[in-house]
Amino acid sequence: MNEPLPDPFADRPEWAPRPPHAVEIVPATARVGLRGQRVQVGLPGLGWRGDLRADDRVVQGSRTYVPVIPEHEWYRAETDQIEVFAPLVPVERVWVEAVGARADSPTGREPGLRLVSLDGPSHRAPIPVVDADSVAGRRVVHVLDSVEHRDLRAVTETYSGADGDICVRVTPEAEWYRWAWRGQAPTTLEVPVHLLWIE
């Protein structure tokens, strides 16, 4: 069962789903609205931390800061309308994940090492779920009729659905995190893998 899945679009490339727009990483100093945006924090040459959300900038004295909240806490605060602690990070140490340009073709996984610059955080191009080693818990994009549904998490690995399609069950991120803090099982949607991309 470790054999790769056959490509249903191999002989009809015009039928293949187009990949979603890629995520681009931009400095927070270049963005106006930060509230609710997915961000990464860090220092050039040291490293980066993700799965964070930002609130609006705060100016104290002559310095500008961004309140940064772990993503699960941000969803809990938004859902339950409660206040949570948000450390203030200097704006020059914050990068925003923004939806950028669409890739021309499916990218898949590149063999070998992938070298990146340590000057700023990097992000991979969207990867078709059929090319991924694992998908459960990862951020995914559901592309249906050229509409991109984001802020989803995969709840399962790939499996054979009732109709014989290879599928993954997904849930909105808010429900993914609610599952952790309340133990409330999320509502899920069965999606064929050819419509799903790892963000």
Side-chain angles (χ1 to χ4, degrees), residues 37-147:
Q37 295 295 320
R38 206 176 248 130
V39 296
Q40 294 185 28
V41 300
L43 287 169
L46 179 65
W48 321 105
R49 180 162 187 253
D51 290 330
L52 303 167
R53 295 281 179 149
D55 207 340
D56 291 326
R57 289 177 184 83
V58 173
V59 177
Q60 291 184 349
S62 62
R63 303 264 341 242
T64 302
Y65 297 92
V66 177
V68 176
I69 308 162
E71 199 163 53
H72 67 278
E73 288 290 307
W74 183 82
Y75 276 110
R76 190 167 67 94
E78 292 294 308
T79 301
D80 294 346
Q81 293 297 299
I82 61 170
E83 291 188 23
V84 295
F85 175 74
L88 298 177
V89 179
V91 70
E92 62 273 7
R93 294 184 184 181
V94 179
W95 284 262
V96 181
E97 294 185 20
V99 176
R102 183 187 299 269
D104 292 333
S105 61
T107 50
R109 189 184 316 236
E110 298 173 12
L113 292 176
R114 176 179 172 259
L115 300 178
V116 298
S117 168
L118 294 181
D119 293 336
S122 64
H123 200 281
R124 293 179 184 259
I127 300 171
V129 164
V130 295
D131 292 341
D133 290 338
S134 66
V135 67
R138 297 185 70 183
R139 291 170 25 192
V140 294
V141 181
H142 178 199
V143 181
L144 184 61
D145 298 328
S146 298
V147 177

